[in-house]
Amino acid sequence: MTERYEQLTRTLVEKFSADPEQIDPGVTLAELGLDSLAVAELFMNLQDEWDVPLQDDIDSMELTLEQVLKLAESAG
């Protein structure tokens, strides 16, 4: 996996108490138990870590982890 994917999964587990067993590139943020406030906080954390702007005007909770990474790649 990429370094960004590892950072994303680490952040989800450490800061948002996501179950490591559920983490998979195809799982959505909602399926990991994040609500809209948690997703906004996650995006702010990732923007700081990756130094890229992430859109938060889309239905972010339904994004898969793979889609979050693609958003970051297209923004960076």
Side-chain angles (χ1 to χ4, degrees):
M1 286 294 147
T2 67
E3 183 179 331
R4 278 191 177 166
Y5 182 78
E6 291 175 11
Q7 287 177 320
L8 175 58
T9 59
R10 188 172 40 252
T11 298
L12 287 166
V13 170
E14 293 174 1
K15 293 186 180 184
F16 298 95
S17 302
D19 180 357
E21 296 294 317
Q22 286 188 301
I23 293 178
D24 177 87
V27 73
T28 67
L29 297 173
E31 290 171 333
L32 290 174
L34 276 68
D35 61 17
S36 57
L37 184 59
V39 170
E41 185 178 344
L42 172 66
F43 274 36
M44 287 189 303
N45 278 294
L46 296 177
Q47 288 178 105
D48 289 343
E49 286 181 29
W50 298 342
D51 195 31
V52 295
L54 293 174
Q55 295 179 6
D56 56 4
D57 60 341
I58 53 178
D59 190 5
S60 306
M61 291 176 53
E62 294 305 317
L63 291 175
T64 64
L65 300 188
E66 184 176 20
Q67 290 170 323
V68 171
L69 293 171
K70 286 181 181 179
L71 270 177
E73 289 170 7
S74 67

